[in-house]
Amino acid sequence: MLSRLILIFVAMALSGCVSTVLDVDTKASQPIPASLVADMKRRSMKPSDPIVVRIFKQESELEIWKRDRNGKYALLKTYPMCRWSGKLGPKKRNGDRQAPEGFYTVSANMLNPKSKYYLSFDLGYPNRLEEALGYSGEALMVHGACSSSGCYALTDDGVAEIYAVVRDALKGGQRSFQVQAFPFRMTPQNMAKNRNDPNYAFWQNIKVGYDLFEVTRQPPQVGYCGGGYAFQSKPLQSFPTDPMAACPATELTTDPLIASKQQADERKVQALVERGVSASAYAYSDGGMHPVFRKMLESGGPDKLARKTSKTKVPVSRPDAALADPHSAVSAN
């Protein structure tokens, strides 16, 4: 009887009847697509080279940057995000539906090959600073499908490619990789528009890390003190174990590599304010969705989008809110 069942199972597999089961079994070992490997080669990169991940809520995009043979990081690929939840601003408490903002470190043990959203990796929220601030939450992920309650959802196909790139970088010797999660691309224009937001001081703080990466094309060294982040281009020294303790005077000097950029950006922000650029921000009722997926949702509805973004047809989270957000500008005054 057992042998007969085995024969039936093999016959079904050959006919493709259980292809989804087989796909689930091998999804975490899928190779990086040949076209992306070719792109790496053209950019003087290898699959084993280290990576940095950057996430932008307002633009609903995730970037993978990879170190090239010159030792600097260059943009490899930008992925549209299908869904993120909450509003612009950091996550503070469990159940607030906020997707995190800040700097996180992801190691191999934080990859989940058996995620219910196809594949995923944990961001490591809360980090030490967030814990010290009393923020709460757990299992904040980058994963597949088009559903979010505090995570960043990339579709099953999108996260499969990202997972493969991440996996091979970690196998290549990178012990962990940095994830930088921002409310928006931190341009003078976006900073000017959001200058009256309650989170503006926090955004100015994480912009230092953003600027360091923009200037040096190296992931910034990240520390915590004074209830905030501290960034430098070289290893940080003499930091307190308590993130709420005062910052050492030796670490308060602005890194000369970014001082000129910060000053130039501040001048641009001031010029925009003087020209009358309104202090306005996007009003999110519950997160955002990249325009490419919004068009699909508008034209085909949530069921069709679920079939296109998830191999197991995970429903699109709060589709009405996804269509409402973003791009409804409201006054921040």
Side-chain angles (χ1 to χ4, degrees), residues 75-93:
L75 180 61
L76 174 62
K77 187 170 180 177
T78 301
Y79 296 84
M81 286 193 295
C82 193
R83 203 74 176 92
W84 59 271
S85 60
K87 306 176 187 299
L88 300 185
K91 182 176 184 64
K92 294 184 177 181
R93 61 180 177 82

Side-chain angles (χ1 to χ4, degrees), residues 12 27 47 89 203:
M12 290 173 65
K27 60 186 177 179
W203 292 338

Side-chain angles (χ1 to χ4, degrees), residues 255-277:
D255 194 304
L257 291 168
I258 65 162
S260 60
K261 183 181 188 308
Q262 289 179 312
Q263 293 166 5
D265 283 357
E266 284 299 322
R267 288 194 294 269
K268 290 177 183 177
V269 169
Q270 187 59 39
L272 288 165
V273 172
E274 291 173 356
R275 278 166 36 197
V277 172

Side-chain angles (χ1 to χ4, degrees), residues 55 57 62 81-86 91 96-100 115-117 119-123 125 138-154 286-288 317:
I55 296 171
K57 283 183 178 176
L62 181 149
M81 286 193 295
C82 193
R83 203 74 176 92
W84 59 271
S85 60
K91 182 176 184 64
D96 62 6
R97 295 187 62 80
Q98 284 288 98
S115 171
K116 67 178 181 178
Y117 294 114
L119 293 165
S120 67
F121 61 81
D122 194 314
L123 289 170
Y125 175 94
E138 60 183 2
L140 279 301
M141 306 278 183
V142 170
H143 61 57
C146 192
S147 178
S148 171
S149 58
C151 298
Y152 293 106
L154 273 297
D286 188 13
S317 61

Side-chain angles (χ1 to χ4, degrees), residues 65 100 127 133 209 213 287 289 315:
W65 291 68
N127 59 30
L133 290 169
F213 186 75
M289 173 181 281

Side-chain angles (χ1 to χ4, degrees), residues 23-30 112-114 118-119 163-164 167:
D23 182 51
V24 168
D25 288 344
T26 61
K27 60 186 177 179
S29 59
Q30 295 175 76
N112 184 2
K114 297 181 179 180
Y118 199 63
L119 293 165
Y163 191 97
R167 178 200 64 217

Side-chain angles (χ1 to χ4, degrees), residues 295-317:
K295 288 181 181 178
M296 294 167 65
L297 180 58
E298 288 173 338
S299 62
D303 291 342
K304 186 173 182 179
L305 182 58
R307 291 194 297 272
K308 287 181 175 291
T309 56
S310 169
K311 299 181 187 301
T312 54
K313 303 177 185 177
V314 173
V316 176
S317 61

Side-chain angles (χ1 to χ4, degrees), residues 63-293:
E63 297 176 344
I64 290 187
W65 291 68
K66 204 161 182 60
R67 196 176 69 190
D68 61 22
R69 67 183 177 190
N70 295 317
K72 292 195 173 184
Y73 286 74
L75 180 61
L76 174 62
K77 187 170 180 177
T78 301
Y79 296 84
M81 286 193 295
C82 193
R83 203 74 176 92
W84 59 271
S85 60
K87 306 176 187 299
L88 300 185
K91 182 176 184 64
K92 294 184 177 181
R93 61 180 177 82
N94 195 30
D96 62 6
R97 295 187 62 80
Q98 284 288 98
E101 294 173 11
F103 283 70
Y104 304 94
T105 301
V106 179
S107 53
N109 65 345
M110 298 163 72
L111 273 59
N112 184 2
K114 297 181 179 180
S115 171
K116 67 178 181 178
Y117 294 114
Y118 199 63
L119 293 165
S120 67
F121 61 81
D122 194 314
L123 289 170
Y125 175 94
N127 59 30
R128 279 205 306 120
L129 172 62
E130 291 159 338
E131 285 183 335
L133 290 169
Y135 296 173
S136 62
E138 60 183 2
L140 279 301
M141 306 278 183
V142 170
H143 61 57
C146 192
S147 178
S148 171
S149 58
C151 298
Y152 293 106
L154 273 297
T155 81
D156 286 6
D157 288 339
V159 80
E161 189 168 301
I162 294 166
Y163 191 97
V165 173
V166 165
R167 178 200 64 217
D168 284 12
L170 292 172
K171 284 185 175 179
Q174 185 178 20
R175 296 182 61 182
S176 60
F177 63 93
Q178 189 175 90
V179 177
Q180 308 170 4
F182 300 104
F184 40 70
R185 297 187 186 280
M186 309 201 85
T187 63
Q189 291 77 12
N190 281 334
M191 296 300 288
K193 288 180 180 179
N194 289 278
R195 66 185 181 273
N196 287 344
D197 191 283
N199 295 298
Y200 190 72
F202 167 70
W203 292 338
Q204 284 183 308
N205 182 205
I206 62 174
K207 184 178 182 294
V208 178
Y210 176 95
D211 289 342
L212 257 174
F213 186 75
E214 288 287 302
V215 171
T216 67
R217 290 294 188 255
Q218 298 289 341
Q221 300 293 315
V222 181
Y224 316 115
C225 62
Y229 287 96
F231 303 99
Q232 293 287 349
S233 59
K234 59 183 182 298
L236 298 160
Q237 305 291 329
S238 306
F239 263 77
T241 56
D242 180 4
M244 305 304 292
C247 294
T250 55
E251 299 292 350
L252 293 177
T253 305
T254 301
D255 194 304
L257 291 168
I258 65 162
S260 60
K261 183 181 188 308
Q262 289 179 312
Q263 293 166 5
D265 283 357
E266 284 299 322
R267 288 194 294 269
K268 290 177 183 177
V269 169
Q270 187 59 39
L272 288 165
V273 172
E274 291 173 356
R275 278 166 36 197
V277 172
S278 62
S280 61
Y282 290 135
Y284 293 85
S285 61
D286 188 13
M289 173 181 281
H290 193 277
V292 68
F293 298 113

